[in-house]
Amino acid sequence: MRTLSRPHRQVLFTLGILVATMVPTALVAFTAWQVNRPGHRHDVEAELGRQLGLKVTLEGVRYPKPGEIIYSGAVLWQREPRREKQLVEVARAETLKLSREGRRLVLRAEGLALAAEGPRHAMEQVGELLSRAAADEAWDHVAVSADSCAIDLGDGLQYGLRDLAASFRIDAGAPTVEASYRVVTPSGSANRCELVLVRDRRGNEPETILTLRTAEGLPLPASVLDPFFSSADWIGSAARMQGELRLSRIGAGDWRASFSGELIDVDLATLVSGRVTEHRLDGLAHLIIDEAEWGPQPLGPGSGWRSVSGELRAGPGAISSGLLQALQAEMRFPLAERFQLLRTSTAADQAIAFGDLGVRFAIEPDGSMLVAGALGDAFEQDAIMIEPERLEPIAFAPATEADVFGLRRTLGPVDPGNAVLVPADPALKFIDYLPQGGAGADRSEVIRAN
């Protein structure tokens, strides 16, 4: 075996040192050239677009340290379904900092804004992203945080969030998103809320379940419900809410919903007089919903309320003589003796003041309505309305069940010559969304407030 001389060994050793020091330097130099060349940003945009299924544009990409990436001016675009070549913006961030911790991905966003054409479109977007992310085996968990987030759902539905902290658990069977955030109100205060979204793919068809709940702080403006109905047109612009809303859908089927909570400062004039000009009911109400379920109606096409139960408290306020008469005639609400001659002694639009209104109610799936008093033991049994100062009852809950048909006859114009038919009235369309059916049984099962 030939032995290298000392000079040869020194040369080889020197060459080894040069290679060991120059290769990392060359790799760093090559990487620096790679990330700073003009085409690198476009490569990153294309790669992110393939992962998200969206078009991505970036203003810049930086690598402050190993395992950390900062994207600036990031914008996500989705193809407009009705116009194949047109893109619409669905999300943007001034800066997006990405770091990896094993199989955990951490995202920190600044200047975050989300947009959709409407609530339904937003849910479809999220559903697609969850399905795509569930198939990605590179991560187990994704955490997202932002100091602020602006959400635009179209048609004037705009919301501001603060202190957003979201967690995405990647599970092929049931990917889940959990988020905590504060809703910014017109007064500037922010209320803590929670969101849980699950895309359960373990059944024959995927089920989407979205749960929204208020967690702490003062009640939120009822405008947070505007994606589901126009709160200002129905319960007044000053109304507030707190509680839990749960939405679910199997496959591409109809949405089902359940709500339990409170609606505060409901404007009865907006709720009643705004729908039915023939009647008047004034005052602010506190509506406690024990449970309300929405879904496909058993009778007829479409969806509606399947059952509703709760308690209504209001006062002081006023009710028109005509509405009081209709409650007596059509839904069998007994009136105190001095109010029983209202039909002949007063005009239908005359206002009758009341001090307090308290009603426990339940509308069953068959359309029957159970009603009971909710004024407490200080008043006569089943009293639902009292005078302002004398604290004497004005009206009582009916002794038998009422029904939705009777409610329609109470609110709508009825032909005195026809005791069965009620003329169609577009203003009463909302009653079609209540459970439909008949009634007439004893009301002993009504749940009482106390």
Side-chain angles (χ1 to χ4, degrees), residues 132-156:
R132 184 178 294 273
D136 189 350
E137 299 180 353
W139 316 104
D140 294 331
H141 182 268
V142 178
V144 181
S145 62
D147 290 335
S148 64
C149 176
I151 299 179
D152 186 349
L153 297 179
D155 295 329

Side-chain angles (χ1 to χ4, degrees), residues 3 9 24 34 56 70 90 101 131 141 152 171 183 204 212 229 239 280 306 374 410 442 449:
T3 304
R9 291 198 301 270
Q34 182 78 9
V56 179
I70 297 180
V90 296
E101 301 174 0
S131 298
H141 182 268
D152 186 349
D171 183 330
V183 178
N204 295 328
L212 300 163
F229 69 96
R280 174 183 172 186
R306 298 173 63 88
T410 298
D442 181 78

